[in-house]
Every structure is written in C-alpha cells, then in structure tokens.
Amino acid sequence: MAVRTATPKAPKVPEIRKGDTVVVLSGKDAGKRGTVERVIRQAAAPRGGRSIFRRGSSAGGVKVVIEGVNIAKRHTKPRQSSSATDRMPKIQQGGILDLAQPLPISKVMLVCTSCGKPTRVAHATLETGRRVRVCRHCGEQVEVKS
Ligand SMILES: [Zn+2]
C-alpha cells in the first residue's frame, strides 16, 4: 500500500498508545519490555509560569503505565477506589499489591511490531486520510491490534 511520509511538523498522533509494546530506556527496569496498559496525559504547565506543580517536572508530561514494569509494592486496606473510572469502579482488596507505576514517556521507546526493534516513530498518511505510525527502521506501520 502506498504511504506518503508526513511532513515533519505533523499533527498530533500519539507516539505511544495503549496496547503498544515498549522498551524501557532508563531506570531500574531499563531494557525491560512490556505492554502499555495506560497512557496518562497531564496538562502542560503554563510556560514561563508560576506553575502550581512542583518544579522540574517535564512540561506536559505524558506518562505510560507498562504491564510488569516499574512495579511498586503497595500495602493496602480494602476500600473502594475513588480514582476508578466510571465504567469500571473497582474495589481494592487489602493486602500487598504489585502496582505498575507510570513512567515518563521519554523513558520508553516503542518497539516495532514488524521488526521487533525499538524505534522512533515516523508518521504517515494513508490514501484514505488515516494517519498511521511508521517504524523508522523497516518502514512498516506500527499499529495496535485491537
Ligand atoms: Zn520496524
């Protein structure tokens, strides 16, 4: 299928999505691979500004939760989680939980589904107008099977 390469200043197609396989670049889990469970988008801190958030946090940080990576043990009591999503209120059981902690998106790299290498992402537009992500190594589309 013909794929046109996108202009460098491409619109925002997220580089990493839920269901992607990624490799961790740094930290205690460097080198580990896992599946993205969740992508967390945080509001960008106002530029040059009085941010109410702690300093040094990366602007507009996007974080990802990766299955089995960056695990923190949490000791919990049974409770109803208030942070649960509407459609899935979850009741937490007491005990020790292995919780995957979010990692900044800059610390992970997408793994190509075709060639299996960690890759930076190029963007392309299909003839249908659909925007897709493309592996810079092999040129194949990197798509989440869903
Ligand atoms: Zn590839």
Side-chain angles (χ1 to χ4, degrees):
M1 193 186 293
V3 171
R4 273 183 292 141
T5 308
T7 52
K9 301 215 164 148
K12 290 180 182 172
V13 177
E15 304 230 324
I16 292 182
R17 295 177 193 163
K18 185 180 169 185
D20 283 344
T21 300
V22 294
V23 62
V24 181
L25 300 177
S26 62
K28 63 175 179 170
D29 287 319
K32 273 196 192 174
R33 290 184 183 201
T35 305
V36 175
E37 271 184 0
R38 203 145 55 96
V39 177
I40 303 165
R41 279 160 217 287
Q42 294 169 328
R47 267 179 199 276
R50 299 158 279 168
S51 171
I52 56 166
F53 301 105
R54 66 177 181 277
R55 279 197 231 174
S57 63
S58 56
V62 179
K63 292 186 171 182
V64 291
V65 177
I66 304 153
E67 210 176 275
V69 172
N70 206 26
I71 295 293
K73 300 267 186 205
R74 284 283 172 85
H75 298 254
T76 61
K77 289 178 181 171
R79 66 192 164 94
Q80 194 150 11
S81 171
S82 56
S83 63
T85 55
D86 311 352
R87 68 192 168 106
M88 260 184 60
K90 90 186 155 187
I91 309 226
Q92 295 192 335
Q93 295 184 328
I96 300 172
L97 273 183
D98 289 344
L99 260 193
Q101 298 296 107
L103 279 172
I105 207 162
S106 58
K107 291 202 171 173
V108 304
M109 194 170 248
L110 183 65
V111 174
C112 172
T113 47
S114 295
C115 64
K117 293 180 199 165
T119 184
R120 290 185 53 219
V121 177
H123 297 290
T125 307
L126 300 181
E127 285 166 339
T128 58
R130 191 168 162 235
R131 303 195 55 80
V132 295
R133 299 172 300 165
V134 173
C135 171
R136 286 194 197 265
H137 293 298
C138 64
E140 291 292 324
Q141 291 175 34
V142 182
E143 279 310 303
V144 182
K145 292 151 224 144
S146 57

